[in-house]
Structure formats: C-alpha cells, structure tokens
Amino acid sequence: MRALLVTSVGVTCAAVLTLPLATPALSAPARPPSQAAESPGSGPPSVRAAELPVAASRAAAEAAGSTQSLPLEPLAAPSDRSMGAGAAAGQGLERRTARPFSLVGVVWDDADAELHGTVQVRTRAAGSADWSGWQDVETHNAEHTADLGSDERSSGSVRGATAPLWVGDSDGVEVRVLPEAADPQNRSAAVPLPEGLRLELVDPGPDPAPEPAAETAPEPARAAPAGRTATTAAFALNPTPPTTTPVVVPEVLTAESEAASAVNAELAPLGASVIPALTKAETEEAANVAPGAKPYIGPRPGIITRKGWGADEKLRERQFAYTKTVKAAFVHHSATGNNYTCKQAPSVLRSIYRYHVKSSGWRDFGYNFAVDKCGNIYEGRAGGVTKAVLGAHTLGFNTNTMGIAVLGSYSSTNPPAAAVTAVSKLTAWKLGLFGANPKGKVTLTSGGSNKYKAGTKVRMNVISGHRDGFATECPGARLYKKLGTARTSSAKLQGR
C-alpha cells in the first residue's frame, strides 16, 4: 500500500483524503463542503487508521458531497412570452437560495414514465447576485438506463430522470417543467406530467487533495566542538530546530475502496490514482500475446481510476456485475453542457455518479468510461477496466458492450479533437483485448428499446453511437459525425 506522510498525530481532513492526480493537473480550487451531510454513510472513500476527532470525521463525511431533493410545486400559467400564450401550467420552483451545488436534474417516481414537455432551469453563481439565463435540460429517460428485466432495472429503486446539467458553483435555483400540448390547436390541454417530480441539486464535494511530497530527512548534526553538546552545535550552525523524521502512516482503504482498486491490481498498485500508459509492445506483453502471433491491440492509454477522480465507493452497490465479453463500444455525450474546465472534470464525474446512484437509483455510474474535452480518460463503472463490466448506458444493448461518455453536449458544438483521439485510443486497447475490429461490424441482440424490440438481431458498427441502438439525439450530431474518424484511427492503432 501507499503511504501518507504526516508530522504529527493531529491530522486534518485534507491529509485523510490525499490522492495523486493525473497529468495534466486535475485538481480544482476546493469547494466549500455542504452545510449538512446527506447521510451518515456518505463518507470519504478512504479513512486513516489513526483516530480522528469527531468534528474532523463529520467534516470528512460532508466533503464527500451531498444531494438536495426538492419536490416541485404547481406553477401559475406561464407569462413568459417564450412559452407562448395559453400554454398549460406546469410544475416548478420559484427563485430560491440553496446549499452549494454544481449539477441539477429532475427525477420522478415511475422509471417507465416519460416526461413529455420541457425542463428549464436558471441558477445563481455562488456568492453573487448573478443569475444565468434559462437553460434547457435534456428530458431523456429510458435511453440511458439498465436493460429491462435486469436485476438493476427491477431493483425497485430506479426512477425516471432527465439528463443531469452541470451549472458550476451555485447557491440559487429556479426551475420550470412545462407539459407538452396534447392538442396543437388547444395549448391549454396538456399531456400529464409524471408523478413525484423533484429537483435534484448535487454538490460533488471538493476534489481529492494532491498527495504531499515526501519530506527529506535532516542532515546529521556536525561534530560538536569540545565543551558543547551536539544539539547546541546544531542550533549554532542552523537556528531552525532540527526536523524530526516524518511519521509514515499506512493509508487504510475501506472495504469498498479496496475492492474497486483490487480489480485493477494487475495494472497498477492497490490504491493507485492512475493506471499508467504502455507502449504497444508492453501492452502485447501484458496481454500475454503468443510469440509470433499477429496481435491486434492498441497501446494501453493512461486511465484515471475511480480513486483518482474521487469516487465515493460507499455510494454504489458493493458487488460488481459482468457480461461475457465486449463486442462493441457505444459512444455517448453526457449532455451535461460544455461549461466545464478540464480541472473540473473530476467534479463533473462525481456529480454524475451521485446523480446516477442517489437520484436515479442505479447501482453505480452508468458508463464504463468517460473522456473529457482535454482527452483525459477515466474509469467509470467499477469492476475492472480490462473486464466486461455490465453498464447502464444504452437501453437494450448493455450486454456484451461498453459505454463511453464524452463529457459535454455535442448536438451543435464540435467535439474537441483531443476527445475524439482519446475515444480512438481507448477503443483500440479495450476492444483489442476482446478481439474486436474497430472498423468491423457485429450482430447484437436487442434487450428491448424504442428502436428495436426485444430479441431483434441488429447489425451494427463495432464502434457505434448511442442513436444506433435507440431513437435519440445522443451522442449529438457533431460527435456522431466523428465516429468514422475514431474507427479508422482505432483500427490503425491496433495495427490493422
């Protein structure tokens, strides 16, 4: 195990949460912790063996993030001209102050119910009087979820949900949910909204603190002149009191954190924040390719682990879920908006993770991997980056596939070249582990979606967009157009 270096028994929360981050630097200015922890079980992913003061323990729990769930209320008929005269009244919340949050979404009771209408929010930047304009929240529900009939879907905890929207550090919110008109000629007659609508305000908590650099042991004191002690001589040569050797306290992982890290133990040390990149030759050797064989596998890219982006392993279900193989990769956009910096990407991931588990009722983060606009690759759903982990990303086609979410919204914005390149690198390696050709085709059997009935055999590209398996805009028209480039680059990296 790695070690934490401390010089005294009184340890702060920052020392408890020390984690190294990947290059480029991913740490962001620390957010103030929520004023109240969501639950006693939402503590940090690791706890030191040394006893912590009660106040420090509570602060550590709060630092893991929180969710505010606010029931929506009936709204008066909208007077906003943008909604049109005569539009039916909906539900929402008037402007109000809230505890700090960075991501919003709307959920409802029935996971099978669709929200036919529009969801819009505006938020106030934390510590200011500045309110944003109205922002649309994507009202998808069934397109991103566990397959029908799966244990995850039938758990009883899954809810209907919009896409989450990243809004940055905020402390004020207003939301309106307006139903779709049932009759275009009579806008006051509306399709009923789902029951139990609630606004979710997610605080991701602060980023993991960078691991402190090792302190250098003090130089031995020079020999003392006659009649003086060594200590006196040392003070005479250097008025600063001699530094004591740092106390090395082993970091103790929780059972959940250790399990999430242990599944990658062949790739990186237990508790590592980054799985290092390998050359193609090193990748082939690590994959135990037979001597003289023609391997079609791309070099392993660097991957930021769940610990690296600060996942609270106590949120997810403890057991991992697997399928038999990985035949294809579905590319998504997260639909969380593009107003994030790469330093904020870990916060975006922690927010989505909390929204997927605490708000939507899923067993874990939905996607197997995530990619940010700078091309950083992140481990998503727990279970091991080399393994066939069952995700909840493409309804009807989660079995024997993997889901990659490019953080952002790419319906009208071009995805950064670095993000597309990262998708190519990731698929060249991961698909190569399972013998899949990125430029090839594959036949998948639908588990049931709005595009293909259950049992339908569908011929798809090995690297497909979400819209290939479900009637949706995802991964956005601009990102979807780049998938041909990703396929070609991925195959080339495999040596095809």
Side-chain angles (χ1 to χ4, degrees):
M1 289 188 181
R2 295 178 301 116
L4 295 177
L5 302 179
V6 296
T7 58
S8 66
V9 177
V11 185
T12 65
C13 291
V16 177
L17 297 172
T18 49
L19 300 174
L21 296 178
T23 302
L26 295 172
S27 59
R31 289 174 45 81
S34 298
Q35 298 172 11
E38 181 177 54
S39 68
S42 60
S46 64
V47 179
R48 280 189 59 248
E51 293 185 2
L52 292 174
V54 174
S57 297
R58 289 175 179 170
E62 292 172 357
S66 66
T67 302
Q68 302 168 71
S69 187
L70 308 176
L72 299 193
E73 303 166 352
L75 293 177
S79 58
D80 191 321
R81 294 180 180 179
S82 66
M83 307 312 299
Q91 296 184 38
L93 294 172
E94 300 295 339
R95 287 190 180 190
R96 63 185 59 203
T97 296
R99 297 197 310 270
F101 63 93
S102 293
L103 179 139
V104 302
V106 171
V107 301
W108 52 93
D109 295 339
D110 186 356
D112 296 323
E114 290 293 341
L115 194 162
H116 297 285
T118 60
V119 177
Q120 295 181 314
V121 299
R122 53 185 173 190
T123 56
R124 183 181 64 205
S128 78
D130 298 331
W131 284 82
S132 71
W134 286 107
Q135 299 184 75
D136 292 323
V137 179
E138 190 173 306
T139 57
H140 76 220
N141 175 26
E143 62 188 67
H144 299 83
T145 190
D147 286 341
L148 301 173
S150 66
D151 291 341
E152 183 171 0
R153 178 73 180 210
S154 58
S155 66
S157 62
V158 178
R159 306 177 187 93
T162 67
L165 178 69
W166 174 261
V167 294
D169 292 347
S170 305
D171 61 11
V173 67
E174 182 177 8
V175 60
R176 61 189 183 192
V177 180
L178 300 176
E180 185 179 279
D183 181 357
Q185 303 302 319
N186 180 13
R187 289 179 56 81
S188 61
V191 177
L193 292 172
E195 295 184 358
L197 288 170
R198 299 185 300 285
L199 175 67
E200 304 287 290
L201 304 177
V202 180
D203 173 15
D207 280 334
E211 186 172 281
E215 296 185 30
T216 304
E219 293 183 6
R222 300 180 186 178
R228 298 170 65 187
T229 64
T231 303
T232 303
F235 272 96
L237 293 169
N238 182 359
T240 304
T243 305
T244 58
T245 302
V247 178
V248 179
V249 182
E251 181 183 2
V252 178
L253 301 175
T254 63
E256 297 87 353
S257 296
E258 185 170 349
S261 183
V263 286
N264 293 318
E266 295 183 359
L267 312 179
L270 191 67
S273 294
V274 179
I275 295 171
L278 297 179
T279 64
K280 194 172 191 304
E282 290 170 336
T283 301
E284 293 167 6
E285 182 179 357
N288 296 319
V289 176
K294 179 65 175 176
Y296 292 112
I297 181 172
R300 187 179 77 198
I303 301 172
I304 300 164
T305 66
R306 287 170 63 90
K307 190 173 184 187
W309 54 265
D312 181 354
E313 300 297 351
K314 292 182 179 179
L315 294 181
R316 64 170 174 80
E317 285 194 19
R318 297 189 65 174
Q319 301 301 317
F320 307 129
Y322 299 98
T323 57
K324 293 181 179 179
T325 186
V326 177
K327 296 181 178 180
F330 283 99
V331 178
H332 305 253
H333 66 173
S334 63
T336 47
N338 302 317
N339 297 322
Y340 74 94
T341 66
C342 293
K343 288 183 179 181
Q344 292 175 318
S347 293
V348 176
L349 288 170
R350 291 196 304 278
S351 297
I352 297 174
Y353 172 42
R354 178 170 282 274
Y355 185 75
H356 281 176
V357 177
K358 303 296 289 186
S359 301
S360 302
W362 300 358
R363 63 179 296 132
D364 193 355
F365 188 81
Y367 308 102
N368 299 102
F369 295 92
V371 171
D372 69 23
K373 62 175 67 174
C374 290
N376 296 304
I377 299 171
Y378 303 84
E379 177 185 16
R381 179 164 287 205
V385 296
T386 63
K387 298 177 173 58
V389 178
L390 176 64
H393 48 85
T394 306
L395 180 67
F397 295 97
N398 289 306
T399 299
N400 297 331
T401 68
M402 69 176 187
I404 305 169
V406 180
L407 298 182
S409 301
Y410 299 105
S411 295
S412 58
T413 301
N414 288 324
V420 178
T421 298
V423 170
S424 301
K425 291 179 178 179
L426 176 58
T427 52
W429 170 69
K430 183 63 182 278
L431 292 174
L433 292 176
F434 293 88
N437 181 352
K439 290 198 301 184
K441 299 278 188 178
V442 64
T443 298
L444 300 175
T445 302
S446 173
S449 73
N450 68 350
K451 191 169 184 177
Y452 298 106
K453 293 181 180 180
T456 303
K457 294 187 180 300
V458 185
R459 190 73 172 166
M460 293 186 182
N461 289 309
V462 168
I463 297 179
S464 286
H466 186 184
R467 64 174 62 183
D468 294 321
F470 196 96
T472 174
E473 290 296 314
C474 186
R478 300 291 183 90
L479 178 55
Y480 189 75
K481 289 180 179 179
K482 296 293 184 180
L483 295 188
T485 299
R487 295 182 192 108
T488 301
S489 299
S490 181
K492 186 175 181 179
L493 287 168
Q494 284 191 346
R496 295 181 186 272

